[in-house]
Amino acid sequence: MIPTMKQILLLKQLITLYLIIPADGDEQQSTNNWKGVFSISSYTQYFNVDTDVVLNRLISSLYPISGDFFSKIDANPDLYGLVWISTTLVFAIASLGNCATYLMHRRSDHSTSWTFDVSYLNVAACSIYGYVLIVPLAYYFLLQYLGSNASLIRFWCLWGYSLFIFILSSFLLVIPFEFLRWTIILLGGGASASFVALNLRSYINESEITIVVISAFVLQMGLAIFIKMWFFA
Amino acid sequence: MSHSDTIPLHSTSQSDIDEIENLINSNPSSVLPARPPSPPRASIPISSAPIPPPAFIPSNLPAPTNPKTAPVPSVSSAAPKPPLPPRPSGPGGNISASGFGSPPNTLTEPVWDTVKRDLSRIVSNLKLVVFPNPFREDPGKALRDWDLWGPFFFIVFLGLTLSWSASVKKSEVFAVAFALLAAGAVILTLNVLLLGGHIIFFQSLSLLGYCLFPLDIGALICMLKDNVLVKVVVVAVTLAWSSWAAYPFMSSAVNPRRKALALYPVLLMYVSVGFLIIAID
């Protein structure tokens, strides 16, 4: 089978990604100073944010309908949010999940003793880090293949900030009422998923890839339901 | 070696002996010793007489017919002495350990001296970091003589204490605690560097390790006393103490507008460790 031009291009970009992270789609970034994979100073351009900027972006991630996240981060996307929001979420769901099982145990039966389950940390770390690193990467390659320009750093930034709602809802999920938990997780998951989907749609701006937008929505809801079922059962 | 004559070389050893005999017979004054001269070594003087050069002098050899036994008398006097590394300065002079400067003494000192020196350094660093002292605000002075033994000991101690306290999955608890603390210290340092701050990598690792000392005490108390309320209070107090110890160093390393961004992960790590201490029973 002879590979098409698009496939050759995709392959070339895969190889390029293995060597360096591409800075942007096709526009020349004036502050792009890449000094190699192992030099810290080449990554500082992605952490060039102040406290108030980060807080502003966090607050805007709570409003799913506005759809202007990409215009906010366009000049200065950051990976600080990605790293620390996902890390906080890992700790939050691991510890609060244990709290939740403790409270359920207190309410129901006292025959078995409750022990702290350390494997929650492992599962949480693998699932959250895996999701937030791989899903934007997959969407980046998908959109490149479909022809529209996408920026990997901005996708990572978007998905990273979209997890903030889960941190807040995981505090509420400790309440040991099953119906309330399902309500909370569906609302929180819906908010986060629509945040991702609406911003993605406003960024891509083409009409034939609504399936991409819908799949992003479904994936985020899937993550929410997974969190509820594994950690807060 | 070069041949002035044209004796052809044979491939058997007998031919080599013949060759040597031919050389001896042709030019007796330039016989080389059978044992190649050793590289110049500092030789410890064994007598007050002037010391000959360390290379073997051919004139010391007896009759050349038994070349192998000749160098033995000269060698045996030097062999029992401990070998010293080769020095470019030649013979003469009393070469003792002080010729290298003070560090070689640490090789020959008793083990207890080394351990005592390291322990005293750990204690002094601990006093600088964790307890109030006038140099706290200045990161350059705060931990000038950093070391990694202290942090290593504190991290392992915390992991062991948590592992002892746990009733199930002890090894997994230790692994999680150790990985969390060790990787956490590295990641926190990288975070400050990425935010454009100025710290020295290993000094920061050392400092974050020393700041775990209050949490170590808290974990020890929680292991001994199993009441939930006591645990919460103890962990809260030691957590505040650890954060207070780490605060000046971290906050002075970055731009003031990004201070919270650098401090929040420190707080996150200590809170998660504190939570582990409370929850593991």
Side-chain angles (χ1 to χ4, degrees):
Chain A
M1 187 185 92
I2 304 170
T4 64
M5 276 309 294
K6 272 190 185 165
Q7 286 168 338
I8 292 177
L9 208 65
L10 191 61
L11 202 61
K12 191 174 81 128
Q13 278 178 335
L14 260 174
I15 295 172
T16 319
L17 187 73
Y18 259 75
L19 299 176
I20 55 166
I21 300 176
D24 260 304
D26 63 340
E27 70 230 31
Q28 287 304 315
Q29 210 176 5
S30 59
T31 58
N32 185 12
N33 42 2
W34 187 259
K35 290 193 184 57
V37 180
F38 290 116
S39 159
I40 295 251
S41 56
S42 49
Y43 294 103
T44 53
Q45 56 180 315
Y46 301 124
F47 284 81
N48 195 14
V49 281
D50 294 335
T51 309
D52 49 352
V53 171
V54 171
L55 285 176
N56 188 8
R57 292 179 184 182
L58 283 176
I59 302 293
S60 70
S61 79
L62 296 176
Y63 297 113
I65 312 294
S66 46
D68 61 346
F69 191 73
F70 275 106
S71 60
K72 254 191 216 197
I73 66 170
D74 196 37
N76 191 10
D78 71 301
L79 294 180
Y80 181 89
L82 173 80
V83 171
W84 292 111
I85 292 177
S86 52
T87 308
T88 311
L89 184 64
V90 166
F91 286 131
I93 58 181
S95 52
L96 293 171
N98 273 304
C99 275
T101 53
Y102 176 71
L103 287 178
M104 293 287 269
H105 171 263
R106 278 270 294 264
R107 288 181 77 230
S108 56
D109 67 341
H110 298 264
S111 54
T112 58
S113 69
W114 175 83
T115 55
F116 182 83
D117 193 357
V118 181
S119 67
Y120 273 25
L121 263 168
N122 292 336
V123 176
C126 291
S127 59
I128 299 294
Y129 284 133
Y131 179 86
V132 89
L133 285 176
I134 295 179
V135 168
L137 199 65
Y139 273 93
Y140 170 71
F141 281 123
L142 184 66
L143 287 174
Q144 291 278 47
Y145 182 74
L146 290 176
S148 70
N149 283 321
S151 157
L152 183 60
I153 303 295
R154 288 177 177 76
F155 277 8
W156 269 330
C157 189
L158 172 76
W159 258 273
Y161 279 102
S162 75
L163 293 181
F164 181 63
I165 300 182
F166 287 131
I167 299 179
L168 299 178
S169 55
S170 66
F171 277 98
L172 292 175
L173 282 174
V174 181
I175 304 171
F177 294 116
E178 198 66 21
F179 178 70
L180 197 59
R181 280 184 179 175
W182 276 109
T183 320
I184 292 171
I185 197 62
L186 287 174
L187 281 177
S192 177
S194 55
F195 173 74
V196 169
L198 289 173
N199 277 307
L200 208 56
R201 192 177 71 181
S202 68
Y203 182 68
I204 300 174
N205 236 354
E206 286 178 27
S207 57
E208 58 197 25
I209 37 180
T210 48
I211 188 71
V212 170
V213 170
I214 291 176
S215 63
F217 185 93
V218 168
L219 275 175
Q220 196 87 356
M221 282 302 291
L223 180 71
I225 294 176
F226 169 74
I227 288 178
K228 160 70 180 72
M229 294 192 58
W230 189 281
F231 296 98
F232 295 96
Chain B
M1 58 187 174
S2 61
H3 300 270
S4 54
D5 44 18
T6 57
I7 300 174
L9 291 173
H10 298 280
S11 56
T12 63
S13 56
Q14 179 62 38
S15 62
D16 287 342
I17 295 177
D18 287 340
E19 188 187 310
I20 292 172
E21 274 181 339
N22 285 334
L23 275 177
I24 294 167
N25 294 335
S26 62
N27 203 354
S29 63
S30 67
V31 169
L32 296 172
R35 203 184 152 90
S38 60
R41 274 193 305 181
S43 56
I44 298 175
I46 48 178
S47 66
S48 55
I51 301 162
F56 288 104
I57 301 177
S59 59
N60 279 347
L61 291 177
T65 49
N66 45 355
K68 286 197 174 44
T69 59
V72 170
S74 309
V75 170
S76 62
S77 60
K81 302 292 189 296
L84 292 176
R87 291 197 58 194
S89 68
N94 194 3
I95 302 166
S96 67
S98 65
F100 292 97
S102 54
N105 283 328
T106 64
L107 281 176
T108 53
E109 66 181 8
V111 175
W112 176 241
D113 280 355
T114 312
V115 172
K116 211 162 56 171
R117 192 178 55 242
D118 280 335
L119 279 178
S120 67
R121 188 170 57 191
I122 291 179
V123 169
S124 75
N125 278 340
L126 196 63
K127 281 201 290 232
L128 278 177
V129 170
V130 176
F131 296 103
N133 78 78
F135 293 131
R136 292 200 79 226
E137 304 300 324
D138 184 1
K141 282 207 186 80
L143 205 59
R144 179 158 300 190
D145 192 15
W146 59 266
D147 71 306
L148 290 178
W149 276 116
F152 176 71
F153 177 69
F154 292 141
I155 292 179
V156 166
F157 182 75
L158 190 57
L160 281 177
T161 313
L162 285 175
S163 174
W164 277 323
S165 315
S167 44
V168 294
K169 289 189 184 174
K170 287 174 183 279
S171 55
E172 195 170 339
V173 167
F174 178 83
V176 164
F178 188 88
L180 174 68
L181 290 167
V186 173
I187 292 175
L188 287 175
T189 312
L190 282 179
N191 182 45
V192 171
L193 286 174
L194 284 168
L195 284 173
H198 301 288
I199 49 170
I200 305 170
F201 184 75
F202 284 107
Q203 194 181 23
S204 166
L205 283 189
S206 173
L207 192 111
L208 286 170
Y210 276 111
C211 290
L212 280 178
F213 175 72
L215 282 169
D216 272 355
I217 300 179
L220 194 60
I221 298 177
C222 287
M223 184 173 76
L224 300 172
K225 191 103 179 72
D226 211 6
N227 185 2
V228 175
L229 193 60
V230 168
K231 277 189 182 181
V232 169
V233 166
V234 163
V235 166
V237 166
T238 54
L239 188 74
W241 186 7
S242 281
S243 310
W244 173 81
Y247 173 83
F249 186 73
M250 281 295 177
S251 67
S252 61
V254 283
N255 193 341
R257 289 200 311 265
R258 303 183 179 183
K259 214 161 62 166
L261 296 183
L263 286 172
Y264 166 71
V266 179
L267 193 68
L268 179 68
M269 183 170 92
Y270 288 154
V271 164
S272 62
V273 172
F275 190 83
L276 269 182
I277 297 176
I278 295 180
I280 291 197
D281 54 353

